[in-house]
Amino acid sequence: MSGTYRLTGRTEAGDLAELYEALLLPTLPVAVKLFLPRTSDPGYARELAETVRRLQPVRHPGLLHVVDVGFVHQRLAIVREDVDGFTLGIALQRLNTKEVLLPPTVALSIVIQLLETVQLAHDAGVVHGAITPGNVLLSRDGFPAICDFGALQALLSVPQLKRTFAHRGRSAYRAPEVTRGETPTEASDVYSLGAIAYELLTLREAVVPGSGVSTRRETLPPPSRLDRRINSRLDPAIMRALDPAPQRRFRSCGEFAQALRNFLSAGGGLPGAEEVGRFVSELFPNEVSLAAPGPVPFVEPFQLEPVSGAEMEDLHAEEHEASIVQRAPYSRAPTEQESSADTQEAAPGFEAFRPEDYAPDAPEDDAPAPESEPTNEARSTDPSHAGPLEQGW
């Protein structure tokens, strides 16, 4: 989409880019990520444009599309759909400070929708590689959506940006192989969504106590040991997604989603959209408003110059010493006591996951339950204001 835009307020500032509320004139709200002059690079834009091309045929309300990429005032700008809601990161912060409980079944409903959305992207040949609660948006009526597809790969394609920013993401959601510098795969996204599921269920980050790094399976207490509301039969599925060895995780996001669906089917079924919406309304009452938007660098309407323009040939990102920003975690890590050997001995064993164990009426031949096709159960969300996003987008 090529259009005319106007910035209306800054919602976040960082060393890589700034995030703005904006309008696709005359009235459609969008979000604009405006890179700083020293971080703007045509190589980033070209790499991201390829991801946009691959995802264009995938029309699903859980996937927030980039609608425009280009340059304005010698700055790279990325325009994407907006949503009336808040990031999952902000939701986790409020869950840790407010008297609002997230029912485990509602948490799993959110995770299942995310898994099915990411599976659609994988089917289109796109791996995210950097899913965190900060790039998951939860609409006010309870439907989750993911943005930032292609952002990590674009960052890694520009040496100056890679050296400065590649290791600054939130490690609690990063698969061990990605932390080692390997190329993200579909299994990496399974891990990231497993880490989000773990945190939604337990309000604990999936990290080794005191280390700040992605956890090893044998030192992480299973969810049921941290919250007695959680059935221990769910533990093997969550812990399999968090296995440090990619080949031992679920084969796909679709398989992970089916495992969670089977678990919920055995206990009464998947919560309806109204239950998720009710939770969001309790967590974010209508009177809740975030900080007022900040100033904009220019007020006049603008159109984006194409990425391939000759005037961009001398525009490249500069290597610079970025400030070290310590991002506060959304939830605390498990304590040493929670991760102790005694706790592990009392916990259910991490046996191999078998889908038939989770089905309410397993077939006599014990055949695994078939993988579900990704669905379009989520309604389309009206694009509108979404709260501040974390700096990674």
Side-chain angles (χ1 to χ4, degrees):
M1 180 189 303
S2 179
T4 301
Y5 308 97
R6 180 169 60 83
L7 303 178
T8 58
R10 188 180 70 190
T11 57
E12 188 166 346
D15 291 326
L16 179 69
E18 298 167 330
L19 188 63
Y20 291 89
E21 297 173 341
L23 292 175
L24 170 58
L25 297 178
T27 60
L28 182 65
V30 292
V32 175
K33 183 180 183 180
L34 194 60
F35 281 67
L36 304 178
R38 66 177 182 272
T39 60
S40 296
D41 193 283
Y44 188 110
R46 286 191 291 268
E47 184 69 25
L48 187 64
E50 174 60 20
T51 298
V52 172
R53 183 191 66 79
R54 292 184 181 182
L55 288 180
Q56 200 59 40
V58 184
R59 308 310 301 181
H60 187 273
L63 198 156
L64 293 184
H65 281 269
V66 171
V67 297
D68 211 350
V69 181
F71 292 84
V72 56
H73 297 311
Q74 297 290 292
R75 297 175 67 173
L76 173 61
I78 300 169
V79 183
R80 67 148 174 84
E81 298 172 309
D82 204 0
V83 66
D84 180 18
F86 307 87
T87 70
L88 196 57
I90 293 175
L92 282 165
Q93 290 172 337
R94 291 186 65 82
L95 277 170
N96 279 287
T97 58
K98 304 296 179 182
E99 294 297 325
V100 177
L101 293 177
L102 173 58
T105 54
V106 173
L108 293 180
S109 176
I110 292 171
V111 173
I112 287 171
Q113 292 183 71
L114 294 175
L115 285 164
E116 292 177 342
T117 294
V118 175
Q119 183 61 61
L120 290 174
H122 289 176
D123 292 343
V126 174
V127 170
H128 193 294
I131 304 172
T132 77
N135 48 39
V136 172
L137 285 95
L138 197 59
S139 71
R140 286 189 179 272
D141 49 4
F143 296 102
I146 303 178
C147 60
D148 294 356
F149 281 95
L152 176 63
Q153 290 85 341
L155 181 74
L156 298 178
S157 71
V158 181
Q160 299 92 330
L161 299 181
K162 178 180 179 180
R163 284 191 289 268
T164 303
F165 297 102
H167 302 290
R168 297 184 61 204
R170 292 183 179 272
S171 60
Y173 314 98
R174 185 177 295 169
E177 67 272 13
V178 178
T179 300
R180 294 192 297 266
E182 299 175 18
T183 301
T185 64
E186 295 181 13
S188 307
D189 285 347
V190 168
Y191 184 99
S192 297
L193 290 169
I196 288 176
Y198 186 95
E199 189 168 358
L200 286 175
L201 290 167
T202 67
L203 293 185
R204 301 289 188 275
E205 278 194 324
V207 297
V208 174
S211 71
V213 298
S214 297
T215 185
R216 297 190 309 276
R217 184 188 193 193
E218 65 270 17
T219 61
L220 185 70
S224 69
R225 302 304 297 173
L226 297 175
D227 189 332
R228 297 293 181 177
R229 299 176 301 161
I230 301 171
N231 191 318
S232 62
R233 295 186 71 216
L234 178 61
D235 293 338
I238 302 299
M239 303 309 287
R240 179 179 178 185
L242 289 170
D243 198 300
Q247 67 274 15
R248 292 201 298 264
R249 297 174 203 151
F250 289 100
R251 293 170 297 177
S252 67
C253 286
E255 185 183 41
F256 188 9
Q258 185 61 49
L260 298 182
R261 282 187 175 276
N262 289 347
F263 171 80
L264 289 172
S265 296
L270 188 70
E274 67 279 359
E275 293 185 54
V276 185
R278 189 180 309 117
F279 159 72
V280 176
S281 66
E282 291 175 356
L283 191 62
F284 296 102
N286 289 334
E287 65 270 17
V288 168
S289 60
L290 302 173
V296 299
F298 46 88
V299 297
E300 69 274 13
F302 63 93
Q303 293 182 326
L304 297 184
E305 300 177 29
V307 175
S308 58
E311 66 277 6
M312 297 295 112
E313 290 181 356
D314 60 349
L315 182 63
H316 296 285
E318 303 171 5
E319 188 170 357
H320 65 288
E321 192 67 31
S323 61
I324 303 301
V325 178
Q326 293 293 334
R327 295 178 182 171
Y330 302 120
S331 308
R332 69 170 177 83
T335 64
E336 295 283 355
Q337 182 178 3
E338 289 168 338
S339 298
S340 67
D342 290 342
T343 299
Q344 288 299 303
E345 289 173 1
F350 296 118
E351 68 275 9
F353 175 79
R354 299 193 308 163
E356 63 268 24
D357 291 343
Y358 289 73
D361 296 304
E364 293 184 1
D365 59 1
D366 288 331
E371 293 184 19
S372 63
E373 292 295 323
T375 66
N376 281 333
E377 292 180 347
R379 295 201 311 268
S380 177
T381 54
D382 293 331
S384 182
H385 169 68
L389 304 183
E390 76 163 353
Q391 298 174 6
W393 183 67

